[in-house]
Every structure is written in structure tokens, then in C-alpha cells.
Amino acid sequence: MTTQNINGNKPMIYIFITSDYKDSELVAHIGYGIEEEGIPFKTFVQEKNNSQELAYNAAQNSSLGIGLGVTSEDQVVLQMAKLSKENPVFNKTLNSNEQAKKMGSNAARMVKGLPFKSFKSEE
Amino acid sequence: MGVDIGNATTEVAIGKIEAEQEFNFIAEGEHQTTGLKGTEENIKGIMNALQQAVQEADLKLEDLDLIRLNEATPVIGDVAMETITETIITESTMIGHNPSTPGGVGLGVGKTVMITELDSCSAGEEVIVVIPAEIDFAIAAENINEGLARGIEVNGAIVQKDDAVLIANRIDKQMPIVDEVKFIDKVPLDRKAAVEVASSGGTIQELTNPYGIATVFDLDADETKHIVPVARSLIGNHSAVVIRTPQGDIEEKRIPAGKIIAFGESGKEKIAVDQGAEEIMKSIEKVQPLKDVKGESGTNVSGMLERVRSKMKQVTGQNLSDIKIKDILAVDTFVPQEVKGGLAGEHSLENAVGLAAMVETSQLPMQQIADALVQELPEVEIEIAGVEANMAISGALTTPGTDKPIVILDMGGGSTDAAVLTQEGNIHTAHLSGAGNMVSMIIETELGLEDFDLAERIKKTPLAKVESMFNIRHEDGTVHFYDEPLAPQLFSKVVSLDEGELVPIPTDHSMKRIRQVRRDAKKDVFVRNAVRALKRTIPTGNIRDIGFVVMVGGSALDFEIPELISNELSNYGVVAGRGNIRGMMGPRNAVATGLVLSYLNNPRWN
């Protein structure tokens, strides 16, 4: 399924980001969401600046078939390998760390086959 | 033309006399009954169904010669639920909820301490830290590590946010961490607490064992007896917290739900609702035939029974005292209810009794409807014809493969009506409470839906589980693939298949559980009522003496109710199945068809 293996064949969710997101809190919170669900993940900085493209590539490369792409203005796309580039699972502008964590959870829950968490705040 | 106004649906059938004594059915129509059956509000629904039928027959309303209205069975049913147990936690002694991702593993015991107060603990102290939402998990983990370094025995954590795994991954010692504790401010501090998290795939072992709890908290024999409900309520959980406070207690209380007083021809029976459905039904059977049922005044049961009565009063204009409750169906169920005093919004399953009651009056004001209909259709003759049961039998007998002696089971939304036509041509009827609406109510409460429409949908449609973005698995195990990816909000959800459309069911219940609740509810109401109805209508009282049972009415359209009943009745050697009126209408249109057919037996043609 994978075209190129960046990190061997370990089952992981891949997050592809642009360089300006290297130290982003938002991306960190996506990671926390994935970690809380107990799924390994790895973040890679990429050249391209198109979140759909990044997510698509991330999903294609992840041996779990799940990838996220983050680009400017907190645009986050969650993608799975079997879906087309134009029709990702989620394509969303995140407006809080809480939402970022949920996006991460949902990526992981996709792997676990659990229903997604709603992005709406619980309060 | 025959018009049948039912509790839920108004059905019409148009027949044309072609040859002598021979009807040709040319069109049918149906519409939701508008308003309560037997009121003038019904006119709107009748007119809609009529329009539909004449259009299908390519006629105009004026072309009709005669409209025959059914003399509707004057029964109205209502349903209610009474919770009869309640679980109360005083002084917040336990948290028995099931966060999806607790952290760490094992059993930890210690004194509850706010994470910010960890500094003031001394080395060697055994503690459980409490971490509210405003503390970031990274800082909490750091604080725990500092505490551990100072020699404080941090043995577990109780966390408000969904952070347990994040904290567990960042601390130097493995300890059980329970998260998503909603009301963390209610966790009593400076009390001895035990936190347990099961290993992955397992369930907790120590805190579900009364002696386990006794060991942790040094309880004596008497105290151990008291904590049994705590232990019991935690069974099956993956994580739990138990905190011991001086007055802390958890109790299961029985709520006095009142008594039902059944008046029969042969005496009177008084039965407390909290005895459960089995006992209530036994008492009702003892005093058959029922004359009336009352509730002990001032209790919930009496409130419910009075509601049914006053509804009937509205329809008929009769005095409250003249309206008698002629049947009751009680079913044992469970209601998930939030535990009073709980910390994490935990629920416990409480026992409840579902009640359906049915009233019978002398007659519904059908003449008023007929008069109002004349206003709408001045050119058409309108008459009220025939008792509903007779019409239904006449219609049901058009089902291919049927013969006398026959029983029809008319399973609607509000009541289950039965009529038997004996070999000799005698007709006996029975009206029983409990039908489709009661099934929906049971589904609604047992699954904690608080949404009647959703319960109706679950009742009416099979389930499936969305397994991936591309496939669903039906409840029978077969898999269906889609060309296009499914919507994300459906992912991994249990859905109902509404005419091919996938509608997610917004609960955490598994497909298996929802299916079980649905089927049990249908069995409890319809199979129970089918047997009750047969025993009452068949002159000998022996179900084996009947040859054919034809199921008609809205609930006979259900995808599994007829099967469930057929299954049960096959034990008695009875042919039972869904009716197929005129060999083409399915279980619908029996009464409307009967109204048209009966005209031939009684022609007033001039």
C-alpha cells in the first residue's frame, strides 16, 4: 500500500506539516490527542503548502493508512489511504488546542474503529 | 368506498360493483390519522386519503356513491413508565465510570491530595493525586515526578480531563490513573481512596470484590455488608475509584410507586407496582374480566391512569366516572438513570415497570364525524356501517389460504385487538392494551434515548454497524459495500437502515444490545398480547382449537413482529402470519375492504 517508507514499516499515524508549524502548540495538541488514545505517530516537515495534498501523502505513507496535513491558518486535513485527495475524512480550520486534541483523537479512533468525537465544545 | 379511521392511520378502499354481487376494488389510499381517533379533527386525514384514492382511480370525489365509515372500536390506550428503584451515593464514595482511555494499570491506595498541595506532603506518605482541568497534564506529570523524587508514595491519580494516558506516559512510576471525572471538585480530599485500572482487555478485580474493598479500607464485617452495592455497581468496569468517607454510603432504594387496584367481576385485587410486572399481570388475570382499574390516590400510577381517563373524556364527552379501564399490560424494564451524588455522571440501571392502560367507552362519536364529512362532500351519501371487528374479519378473510375458524390480531399503535370467527359463524372480540407505542416507550427508556422518534425508528428498522468508510455490517452479519466513502459522522456508528438511508443512532450502545432491547420489547408486548388475546377470544380458551391467525394493522407491517408471533404460535400448531388483504394489500386495508364487502350482504341500493 505504501509508496515509500519514511520510517520502516512500524504502524504509525503520520502528520505532515509545513515548516512554520514545527514548534506549533496546535500540532503538539494533535499529537496529545493521538497519544491519549495510545496510537504511535510521527511528524514530518514537508515542502508543499496544501493541506489536502499533505494529508493525502501522509496517509499514503502511513502503514496504518491514516495521515494528517497541517498548513497555514491552522487548516487541518485528516485523511485515510483509501479515500481520494479531494474527499478527505475531515478538512477543518481548528480554532483551539482542544479541537486539535480532538482531531488527533479522531485520527487514532479511526485506527481503533471507534466513533469520532464531536468537535463541539462540551461546555 | 370504505373508510377506516385507526389510532394511527386512516385507510380507504374504493370498490365498484361490476357484475351482480361482485366487487372490483379499484383504488386504495391511506393517510396518518389527524387528531385523536373519533374526533372531528379526523376529517383532514380522511379527505387526504380519499383524494389519494380517487386520484389513483382516475375519479373525482363527486363520483363516489357511498362512503361507509367504520364504527371504530372505542378503545384508547396510553403508556407510562414507573421507576421502582433508585441508587443514591451519599458523600460521594465511589466513581464507577468507564472512561475510554484510563492510564496505567493496577490498584493504588492512598489519601486524596490536590496536585497543587503535593508539596506539603512528607516522604513516605501514601497519596492519590487529584488533578482538575486547569492543571496542564505536562505540569501535573512534572509535579508527580517531583513528589516521587522526594519520596512521597504517589499511588494513583484522579483526573478531570481526558489526559490519563498522557500523564501515565510522562511519569516515572506505573500507577493507575482514572480520567474524565466530570465533577472533580466533589472528590473529597484528605480521605483514603483506592484507584484501580484493569490491564487492557480486562476488567477490574479488587474493587468489584467486597473483600477486596474491605482489605483496602480495613472494614469490619458489618461495614463490609454495607459496601456490597459499591462492589456490585463496579462489575464489568475497566477502571474505578472508591473513596471512603465517614458517613459515606451507597444504597439502592425501592421507590414506593403506588398500588394498582383492579376491580373484576369476581372480586378485587390490590397490588403494589414495585412488585414488578409478573405479579401485576397475575393479579389482573385473577379478577378477569376486568371492570375497572384504579391507582392509589396521590401516587404516580394513579396519575397515569387518570391521564388515560381524561383523554377519553375529551373524545367522548362522557363523565370521568363512566370511563373504565378495561385492560392493563405491565412489562418489567430497566431505566438507566444518573446516580444521585455521582462524580462522573455515572449511570446505574434501575428497575422500572412499564404500564399500558386501555379504556373502553360505550361508543365513539362517529356520527359527528359523518356529519362533518357531509359538509365536505354534500353529493356523497355517508353511512356508519358495521362493527370494526366484523369488518376486519371480513377483510382478513380475503387473505389467500385462510378459513374459519379464524382469529385476526389487529396490532396497532395503541391497542392490540382480537376477533375470532368460529366455525359456527359467531364472533367474539377482545381489546388489549399494549401495542406499538409501548414497544417504542420501552426502547426509549431502556436505551436512555429521551427521544421518542428515535425509539420509533429503532423499532421499525433493522440495524447495521458502519465498519469502515466503505462498508457496513448488517445485524444478521452480512456485509454491504459502498462505491462512495460514507460520511465521517457515520464512521464506526451503529445506524438504522431507513429505506436504504443510514441514520446514525447517537448512543454508545452496541448493535447487539440495541437489537436485544428491541426484540425483547416486541416479545414482551406483542407475543405476550397475542397469547393473551387468543386465550380470551377463543371460546374454549384453548389456542389449539383455532386454525388460522391473521395479523393485520400497522404493527403487522413490522419486519420482525409477525415472525416472533408466528414462532410462538407454531408451538400450538396454529397457522399464523401477516395478512395479505385481497391477496395484494399486505396487512393493511382490512377494515376498509370489509366495509366495502359487507355492503353486498346488506344492500340498501335503490
Side-chain angles (χ1 to χ4, degrees):
Chain A
M1 190 200 305
T2 51
T3 49
Q4 116 205 56
N5 280 316
I6 302 177
N7 196 39
N9 253 329
K10 267 194 191 162
M12 279 190 178
I13 292 172
Y14 284 165
I15 308 175
F16 284 10
I17 58 174
T18 52
S19 56
D20 45 326
Y21 273 91
K22 233 157 92 184
D23 302 308
S24 140
E25 270 228 358
L26 197 85
V27 172
H29 275 83
I30 294 176
Y32 298 150
I34 302 176
E35 183 184 344
E36 175 67 26
E37 297 286 337
I39 304 289
F41 68 97
K42 200 159 181 169
T43 308
F44 300 92
V45 173
Q46 298 278 306
E47 305 273 297
K48 285 202 180 97
N49 190 16
N50 173 323
S51 50
Q52 286 202 359
E53 185 100 26
L54 287 187
Y56 181 78
N57 292 341
Q60 294 302 327
N61 281 290
S62 152
S63 59
L64 290 173
I66 305 290
L68 288 138
V70 186
T71 54
S72 50
E73 282 160 19
D74 303 343
Q75 191 67 26
V76 180
V77 172
L78 170 59
Q79 184 59 285
M80 74 176 282
K82 288 171 204 152
L83 296 182
S84 71
K85 204 180 289 179
E86 295 72 31
N87 287 307
V89 184
F90 288 114
N91 186 350
K92 204 174 159 43
T93 306
L94 299 180
N95 42 36
S96 68
N97 286 341
E98 187 198 341
Q99 284 196 344
K101 195 176 165 197
K102 280 183 180 163
M103 183 62 94
S105 300
N106 286 345
R109 290 171 83 87
M110 198 141 196
V111 176
K112 291 159 96 175
L114 292 175
F116 296 132
K117 287 186 175 176
S118 158
F119 286 104
K120 282 191 210 112
S121 182
E122 272 160 35
E123 261 65 55
Chain B
M1 140 114 32
V3 175
D4 167 31
I5 308 160
N7 278 307
T9 321
T10 300
E11 299 172 345
V12 305
I14 302 180
K16 193 175 171 194
I17 299 189
E18 296 275 345
E20 193 149 323
Q21 295 291 301
E22 188 76 38
F23 257 116
N24 197 8
F25 283 89
I26 50 179
E28 298 78 33
E30 68 171 68
H31 192 270
Q32 198 188 339
T33 299
T34 46
L36 212 53
K37 163 171 130 179
T39 57
E40 278 183 44
E41 290 164 63
N42 297 162
I43 296 291
K44 212 176 128 208
I46 297 175
M47 291 307 291
N48 276 319
L50 282 179
Q51 291 286 4
Q52 202 186 320
V54 290
Q55 252 168 41
E56 192 191 312
D58 219 2
L59 292 172
K60 287 198 272 309
L61 281 172
E62 300 86 70
D63 298 335
L64 297 171
D65 292 316
L66 172 69
I67 292 179
R68 289 165 67 86
L69 281 180
N70 70 320
E71 192 172 291
T73 323
V75 293
I76 288 181
D78 196 11
V79 288
M81 187 71 78
E82 281 302 327
T83 315
I84 56 178
T85 61
E86 140 179 88
T87 305
I88 299 169
I89 305 174
T90 49
E91 291 255 332
S92 311
T93 42
M94 67 117 204
I95 302 168
H97 85 133
N98 243 346
S100 62
T101 53
V105 65
L107 175 72
V109 182
K111 189 180 74 174
T112 48
V113 171
M114 190 59 79
I115 182 86
T116 47
E117 303 295 318
L118 200 54
D119 290 347
S120 53
C121 295
S122 41
E125 242 182 292
E126 303 210 318
V127 303
I128 300 286
V129 287
V130 177
I131 305 169
E134 57 272 18
I135 310 284
D136 187 73
F137 68 88
I139 294 164
E142 218 169 282
N143 289 345
I144 293 172
N145 284 336
E146 280 164 19
L148 288 170
R150 285 191 23 240
I152 302 169
E153 300 275 341
V154 183
N155 290 334
I158 305 168
V159 187
Q160 188 166 21
K161 280 202 294 186
D162 183 15
D163 284 341
V165 178
L166 292 169
I167 295 172
N169 287 350
R170 284 165 179 75
I171 53 178
D172 303 332
K173 176 180 159 184
Q174 193 183 65
M175 66 180 77
I177 305 174
V178 168
D179 62 359
E180 293 181 76
V181 176
K182 219 155 126 195
F183 307 110
I184 198 139
D185 49 314
K186 286 199 197 152
V187 173
L189 297 173
D190 204 22
R191 298 280 174 223
K192 198 170 183 187
V195 180
E196 185 175 2
V197 172
S199 56
S200 118
T203 55
I204 52 168
Q205 298 296 316
E206 289 301 321
L207 297 182
T208 52
N209 176 2
Y211 302 123
I213 299 180
T215 313
V216 168
F217 293 107
D218 296 321
L219 302 181
D220 62 28
D222 217 34
E223 289 167 321
T224 306
K225 274 187 196 158
H226 267 284
I227 52 88
V228 170
V230 176
R232 222 191 58 180
S233 70
L234 296 175
I235 291 174
N237 275 12
H238 303 293
S239 65
V241 178
V242 174
I243 305 162
R244 186 73 184 157
T245 56
Q247 286 84 37
D249 205 352
I250 172 170
E251 53 178 330
E252 197 187 88
K253 250 179 41 178
R254 291 193 88 77
I255 305 169
K259 285 195 177 76
I260 290 176
I261 307 137
F263 301 90
E265 311 240 306
S266 52
K268 183 168 101 167
E269 280 280 321
K270 218 173 186 181
I271 177 82
V273 172
D274 60 16
Q275 300 263 317
E278 211 59 44
E279 294 299 314
I280 296 173
M281 293 316 286
K282 260 190 221 157
S283 309
I284 299 282
E285 286 311 317
K286 249 188 242 167
V287 296
Q288 276 304 328
L290 266 186
K291 284 201 301 196
D292 196 11
V293 180
K294 289 216 160 87
E296 191 180 12
S297 62
T299 64
N300 292 343
V301 189
S302 118
M304 174 228 164
L305 296 178
E306 285 317 309
R307 233 180 10 256
V308 185
R309 255 188 255 273
S310 62
K311 211 174 181 182
M312 199 67 178
K313 175 183 172 235
Q314 256 177 26
V315 182
T316 61
Q318 279 180 300
N319 283 331
L320 268 186
S321 54
D322 292 338
I323 296 165
K324 308 288 185 199
I325 291 182
K326 282 301 175 63
D327 189 42
I328 273 192
L329 176 67
V331 171
D332 282 323
T333 94
F334 294 97
V335 185
Q337 283 202 322
E338 194 155 315
V339 175
K340 280 189 192 155
L343 296 182
E346 56 264 51
H347 286 72
S348 87
L349 274 183
E350 307 292 355
N351 296 307
V353 174
L355 279 179
M358 188 205 59
V359 287
E360 215 175 313
T361 63
S362 48
Q363 201 186 356
L364 284 174
M366 297 308 291
Q367 193 56 50
Q368 282 173 28
I369 297 178
D371 292 345
L373 203 54
V374 170
Q375 303 286 315
E376 299 272 341
L377 297 165
E379 297 90 352
V380 188
E381 190 183 344
I382 292 161
E383 67 176 20
I384 297 167
V387 177
E388 179 162 343
N390 304 9
M391 296 303 118
I393 284 187
S394 153
L397 275 170
T398 63
T399 295
T402 54
D403 197 5
K404 294 190 283 188
I406 187 171
V407 172
I408 63 154
L409 275 179
D410 184 351
M411 306 182 295
S415 66
T416 303
D417 303 316
V420 61
L421 175 65
T422 61
Q423 196 71 53
E424 298 76 37
N426 298 323
I427 291 177
H428 304 273
T429 60
H431 307 295
L432 301 173
S433 57
N437 290 345
M438 192 182 199
V439 172
S440 303
M441 177 185 72
I442 296 172
I443 293 172
E444 183 187 11
T445 47
E446 284 203 8
L447 296 176
L449 303 175
E450 290 175 14
D451 179 347
F452 192 77
D453 293 338
L454 176 62
E456 285 266 297
R457 211 174 69 217
I458 290 175
K459 176 181 76 176
K460 285 180 186 160
T461 56
L463 301 166
K465 163 106 178 175
V466 179
E467 289 197 322
S468 76
M469 298 297 283
F470 292 97
N471 82 291
I472 61 169
R473 186 176 293 272
H474 292 287
E475 59 178 63
D476 65 0
T478 56
V479 175
H480 181 83
F481 277 89
Y482 289 84
D483 295 337
E484 295 292 316
L486 296 162
Q489 63 267 26
L490 294 175
F491 181 73
S492 194
K493 284 266 164 74
V494 177
V495 295
S496 67
L497 286 163
D498 205 353
E499 286 169 15
E501 198 192 339
L502 305 182
V503 190
I505 295 172
T507 69
D508 295 335
H509 300 293
S510 69
M511 177 162 75
K512 206 171 136 194
R513 163 120 177 97
I514 299 175
R515 178 172 190 268
Q516 192 69 43
V517 166
R518 183 193 75 212
R519 287 176 69 90
D520 284 352
K522 286 174 178 175
K523 275 188 208 160
D524 277 345
V525 175
F526 282 108
V527 175
R528 181 79 133 324
N529 262 353
V531 172
R532 279 203 313 149
L534 293 182
K535 284 193 171 149
R536 281 197 204 171
T537 45
I538 299 168
T540 56
N542 186 351
I543 298 176
R544 288 178 193 280
D545 292 341
I546 202 81
F548 300 90
V549 173
V550 174
M551 295 171 239
V552 299
S555 296
L557 284 170
D558 188 88
F559 65 101
E560 62 190 349
I561 290 171
E563 275 170 36
L564 293 170
I565 295 177
S566 295
N567 227 346
E568 174 70 22
L569 294 184
S570 67
N571 295 335
Y572 300 92
V574 177
V575 183
R578 182 189 286 139
N580 192 10
I581 309 304
R582 289 186 262 128
M584 57 175 281
M585 293 301 297
R588 283 287 197 200
N589 215 267
V591 175
T593 297
L595 281 166
V596 173
L597 288 177
S598 66
Y599 174 78
L600 287 180
N601 305 334
N602 178 26
R604 290 188 305 106
W605 202 245
N606 44 29

